[in-house]
Amino acid sequence: MNIPGNLKYAKTHEWVRVEDKLAYMGITDYAQESLGDIVYVEIPELDAGIKKGEETATIESVKAVSVIYAPASGTIAKVNENLDESPELINQKPYEAFIFAIEMSDPTELEDLMDSLAYEEFLKQEEEKH
Amino acid sequence: MKDGLIFEISKKGRVGYNFPECDVPLVPIEEIFKEIYLRVDEPRLPEVSELDLVRHYTNLSRKNYGVDLGFYPLGSCTMKYNPKVNEEVAGFSGFQQVHPLQPEHSVQGVLHVMHNITEKLCELTGMKWGSLQPFAGAHGEFMGMKLFRAYFEKQGERQRTKILVPDSAHGTNPASAHISGFEVVEIKSNHQGIVSLESLNEHMDEKLAGIMLTNPNTLGLFEKDIREIAFRVHNAGGLLYYDGANLNAIMGRSRPGDMGFDVVHLNLHKTFSTPHGGGGPGSGPVLVNEKLIPFLPVPDIVERQGSYHFDYNRQDSIGRISGFYGNIAVIIKAYAYLLFMGKNGLKSCSERAVLNANYLKARLETRYYLPYNHYCKHEFVLSAKIIKEKFGIRALDIAKRLLDYGVHPPTVYFPLIVQEALMVEPTETESKESLDMFADIMLRIYEEAKNSPDLLKTAPTLTPVRRIDEVLAAKKPVVRWQGDE
């Protein structure tokens, strides 16, 4: 399982990378693996206002539809339009295929995210549960 | 052999009919209809002989699979045997020849059935009255949510907008709540696979409209805290909705009304043995307790001095939920089933459904991982998670391999809280021999996964169509003949 050391992770299996004051986010390798082949990504509108924890995007795979939660509040500054045509990019390169980037209103909101070691530990616990 | 489409055997000018010479004067169609109503292009219909047509569809029908052909353990769908006497009853000319626009006095037989089945379903579920109008489970859910809304509006509580749905729920539950204008909030299951009371407690506020539950839930587990859940939801001012998908587990043993539910839908096509699969035909009656009766759809069917009447005089009614009165033929078949099973029959039906599921579970858990390891009700959920880690074989591969053995696979990848889920519901109508046959096949497939995994990854190989490209089907579906377009 690929868990890069330079990213932050949410319990809902999103990753976050801060770059030029924007928080880029996507889903983790674990998430894409359990979703299976992704066939559609519904990305949010540019400039939309969002709140941390809100349902902001949806990912549809051959198995199910899953919701993506915003890791921080702010406005949508960028969306990955490539996913419209090629949603499989998320399966192929989960950490490069970001879904959207947020201009954060409060960057301290990212503080409760996990680092890669904590996320790895979290995955282990989740796996043991069932 | 792969069959072509009927369009692909079409030959220009070939027909399967022969009209006699026209014995009335011909009138040009332009004289009858305005030009805008006339089509310009010829319809693109296949041109075949009667024999071509019969062979084409007979061949296709022989490739169909149904419960009349073999084992069909499709979890959550209750694919029980549909007794043929149901068809015979629904075929009586008194039922077959009626029209929904006939006057009341000429359709007393149908009204009698509708009135009586409502009474019997109420008795079975512990509810007070209901409507047979919804055409399916999800339609019933939609109606149920409309009833919730009407109730809160009457109470002056329009701020109640939040519907709770467990993470193990059928996808139709959140969809129905959402399309009815409610906000859907997911609540977590606990480690036992039932609703977490802690997660529930977080939402007991003035925005709460209610909760949608199945009991037993989609893991086949009985929500043992249901009385406590009902108490807390009612205490907070909310209502409880019972999704009847899993009623086959509890008939004659426990009743949603006694558990504290306010609105119930049933799936006559599942629990009451009418044919389904392939999208219909269904019937999803909704039953309610005393406080929701004023909001039921019109017309109600009432009995006065031995005859039955439509009653439209319901001030607070949500109105019609279907054009006429529901899927009458399905309702009649279910009524026949109810009558010949009787109270004791229905009770033993549920008992045997539960016994069959537990027997199969006990045989399969020797090789397949069972994440929620309790006695189950009518169904249980295995996980291929460990098989995937060890042999690289997924639930989908196992499902596809079952096709090679001539068995319908269980439901896969549902409920969402189990990874690589295989959801098995054998139903009460299967004998020990057919349960053993399925268990033997599943254990053999486990050995294949271990020793020759390629056999599973390339399955099915013995079916008319081999593995379908699901990604392509989801992304670029071709749903009709495109010919030479």
Side-chain angles (χ1 to χ4, degrees), chain A residues 25-98:
Chain A
M25 66 78 56
I27 64 169
T28 64
D29 193 23
Y30 173 85
Q32 71 79 18
E33 168 74 24
S34 26
L35 281 174
D37 290 323
I38 292 165
V39 293
Y40 180 68
V41 184
E42 189 182 354
I43 49 180
E45 302 255 325
L46 268 182
D47 298 326
I50 49 163
K51 283 204 194 103
K52 181 184 165 86
E54 233 172 39
E55 299 181 357
T56 310
T58 50
I59 294 190
E60 195 175 329
S61 76
V62 287
K63 294 181 203 166
V65 178
S66 316
V67 172
I68 301 300
Y69 300 95
S73 310
T75 50
I76 303 287
K78 274 187 188 174
V79 293
N80 187 351
E81 280 163 2
N82 293 335
L83 298 177
D84 264 350
E85 268 298 300
S86 311
E88 67 277 7
L89 289 174
I90 294 180
N91 290 121
Q92 291 160 359
K93 295 176 177 173
Y95 297 108
E96 285 173 36
F98 76 99

Side-chain angles (χ1 to χ4, degrees), chain B residues 261-278:
Chain B
F261 285 94
D262 301 287
V263 181
V264 170
H265 92 250
L266 302 179
N267 297 289
L268 298 186
H269 48 282
K270 294 182 183 179
T271 323
F272 302 95
S273 82
T274 71
H276 66 297

Side-chain angles (χ1 to χ4, degrees), chain B residues 96-167:
Chain B
Q96 282 267 301
Q97 310 290 335
V98 293
H99 190 279
L101 292 175
Q102 270 178 244
E104 274 173 12
H105 71 83
S106 67
V107 287
Q108 286 295 306
V110 177
L111 295 185
H112 170 90
V113 169
M114 292 171 73
H115 189 268
N116 280 26
I117 194 172
T118 310
E119 269 180 359
K120 291 197 188 314
L121 294 175
C122 282
E123 186 183 344
L124 189 66
T125 53
M127 306 310 282
K128 282 289 184 295
W129 197 238
S131 169
L132 303 171
Q133 285 186 24
F135 292 114
H139 193 189
E141 292 171 31
F142 177 72
M143 174 181 151
M145 291 297 102
K146 290 272 170 210
L147 293 175
F148 273 33
R149 182 160 288 265
Y151 173 80
F152 288 124
E153 282 187 4
K154 187 79 181 173
Q155 301 272 318
E157 294 189 291
R158 299 189 109 176
Q159 87 287 356
R160 294 199 177 268
T161 52
K162 206 165 61 175
I163 293 284
L164 311 182
V165 175
D167 53 9

